[in-house]
Amino acid sequence: MPMVDLASPVFWLVTLIAVAVMTPVTHAELRKWLWAGVNLVFIATMLRLRVLEVAALLLAAHITLRVLGCDTWRRPVALAGLACALCLFVINKLPLQSQALGLGVVNPLLAAVGFSYVFLRLIDVGRVVYEGGRPPPDLASTVNYLVPFHMLAAGPIQSYEDFIDQPAVPKPVTAVEALEAVERIALGLFKKFVVAYIIGKLFLTGFNVSGPYMLFEVQVHYLWFYLDFSGYSDIAVGIGKLMGVRTPENFDKPYLARNMIDFWDRWHISLSLWVRRNLFIPMQLAMARRTRGKRALLIATVAFTVSFLLCGLWHGISWPYFTWGAMHALGLVVTNTYRHGLTKRLGTKDVKAYKEKPVYRLLGQFITFQWVAFSLLVIAYPWEGLNP
Amino acid sequence: MSEPVAEKNDRMELSGWQWTYRLLRVTVMLVAAYWLSRTGDAFFYQGF
């Protein structure tokens, strides 16, 4: 569980300081280092002197990325870096087991920085630098990309290319833009602390019910989860706008998705894009090379399945999360296969006409909503209560 | 001294009433969120 608390005055004090300190600065290098300082100060408010250990880990990551950008030692360093990151990820996800093995000493550091997200950013920047897509980041940029304070709680997961391509000194924020940013923050806080909170208090029982109410709670639980999660993203996007730091959008009315592929274009968009860049497309390309472009549907099926089983495990190393991943993989495979079959049968023009019929749109939206809602039930249900 | 054109245009995008309404809306949302977060249970994101 992340340690970042949006209800804490400390978070908002750091936000105010960040905006006040960074806004007037037009020197690119100074701005970068000020932001890195703000990010480390924020972590220090949670960890105190242990922020030095986090700084040491960030330095190690920076050196690793530098080596990845060179020709010699790239491959062994890449493998070693990936192995280390994976170990830290597993320690973060299994704190009790880590404690038992005497590895629990790093758990507070990993929780403070929301290591699940840092892990994904590490993979992204490592891949881009290894492939030569962009040069490795300097030290300040390593800090700013891996642990941006306003994205620690729950993302979004910015791509390294998007991060490094943004202007070093953004255009000054106009009064209207500042108002829009504050509105976005206020909306996020309202969604999370008012609407989601009230819905939770009034309707959610933690699934400690049975019968028809359970079906109702499944629907409301999805809604509650969306409001809570998207609220975090609204706050992050608003703060990013105030600071002049690019922060990607993460949600686009996912409750209106008409199939699972559409759903992942609307829900946790930054994660979906990460999976596409770092898992789905590399797997698809590797398999396509072996089959010389044949069996596209089978390749997509395998790529969806592996990607989303791993995505499930990223959320949590347990059977409920694995099952959640499997349900989403199944939904994606079914959607992709159906789409493929429909296009083959009707042709592209007639498929477009078919998709525009309201009855099919509504049916698709209903089925998708239910599939997602029940997949969330698998994670949220108190399975331990079933054991005698 | 005349105002820079960009600044003048920015202020012209929203009327006084629009500014007032939107700031009021922001205030209501922030006050409601603050009040519920203090009087309700502590609410942490049980996230990933």
Side-chain angles (χ1 to χ4, degrees), chain A residues 7 183 197 201 228 232 315, chain B residues 22 38 40-41 43 45 48:
Chain A
E183 282 177 325
Y197 177 78
K201 283 293 176 191
D228 183 73
Y232 268 100
H315 285 85
Chain B
R22 288 171 75 163
R38 288 287 174 263
D41 300 323
F43 190 72
Y45 172 55
F48 305 123

Side-chain angles (χ1 to χ4, degrees), chain A residues 219-250:
Chain A
Q219 318 297 311
V220 176
H221 177 258
Y222 176 16
L223 193 62
W224 167 82
F225 193 72
Y226 161 69
L227 288 166
D228 183 73
F229 197 179
S230 65
Y232 268 100
S233 296
D234 288 328
I235 292 163
V237 170
I239 294 174
K241 280 190 171 150
L242 282 179
M243 292 195 300
V245 165
R246 217 185 263 170
T247 308
E249 292 289 347
N250 225 6

Side-chain angles (χ1 to χ4, degrees), chain A residues 139-373:
Chain A
L139 184 55
S141 297
T142 303
V143 172
N144 295 334
Y145 177 66
L146 291 179
V147 290
F149 84 93
H150 67 301
M151 295 195 244
L152 288 186
I157 308 154
Q158 190 179 22
S159 78
Y160 178 62
E161 284 141 322
D162 187 49
F163 168 82
I164 210 73
D165 289 348
Q166 66 185 315
V169 180
K171 284 189 306 179
V173 176
T174 65
V176 173
E177 285 168 348
L179 174 63
E180 286 169 352
V182 171
E183 282 177 325
R184 195 70 190 267
I185 293 168
L187 177 67
L189 288 167
F190 191 77
K191 276 159 86 173
K192 180 174 166 54
F193 288 108
V194 179
V195 185
Y197 177 78
I198 291 171
I199 284 174
K201 283 293 176 191
L202 289 180
F203 300 115
L204 299 185
T205 68
F207 297 108
N208 286 311
V209 287
S210 56
Y213 192 82
M214 176 95 150
L215 290 175
F216 172 71
E217 189 167 346
V218 168
Q219 318 297 311
V220 176
H221 177 258
Y222 176 16
L223 193 62
W224 167 82
F225 193 72
Y226 161 69
L227 288 166
D228 183 73
F229 197 179
S230 65
Y232 268 100
S233 296
D234 288 328
I235 292 163
V237 170
I239 294 174
K241 280 190 171 150
L242 282 179
M243 292 195 300
V245 165
R246 217 185 263 170
T247 308
E249 292 289 347
N250 225 6
F251 292 89
D252 180 16
K253 306 188 192 79
Y255 42 84
L256 296 180
R258 45 190 304 167
N259 55 59
M260 289 306 290
I261 292 176
D262 189 25
F263 174 76
W264 279 102
D265 283 339
R266 294 166 174 270
W267 173 276
H268 207 169
I269 298 167
S270 63
L271 175 67
S272 166
L273 291 173
W274 186 97
V275 168
R276 207 173 294 183
R277 285 193 307 273
N278 294 289
L279 290 176
F280 186 83
I281 290 175
M283 269 193 279
Q284 204 179 29
L285 288 176
M287 286 189 281
R289 266 185 233 118
R290 283 177 178 243
T291 63
R292 291 178 201 167
K294 293 178 190 160
R295 299 197 175 272
L297 190 60
L298 178 63
I299 287 171
T301 299
V302 171
F304 272 131
T305 305
V306 174
S307 297
F308 275 82
L309 287 179
L310 289 174
C311 186
L313 290 174
W314 173 79
H315 285 85
I317 303 177
S318 64
W319 284 113
Y321 284 108
F322 183 81
T323 308
W324 174 89
M327 284 182 72
H328 280 257
L330 181 62
L332 287 160
V333 166
V334 166
T335 305
N336 192 50
T337 307
Y338 182 69
R339 227 183 229 187
H340 183 85
L342 206 62
T343 309
K344 219 172 171 180
R345 194 172 168 177
L346 298 179
T348 318
K349 204 170 150 193
D350 285 342
V351 163
K352 196 165 176 271
Y354 167 91
K355 276 160 92 168
E356 278 159 15
K357 288 187 181 169
V359 63
Y360 295 126
R361 181 175 48 81
L362 287 169
L363 189 62
Q365 284 172 336
F366 175 77
I367 293 171
T368 305
F369 190 103
Q370 296 308 313
W371 191 252
V372 172

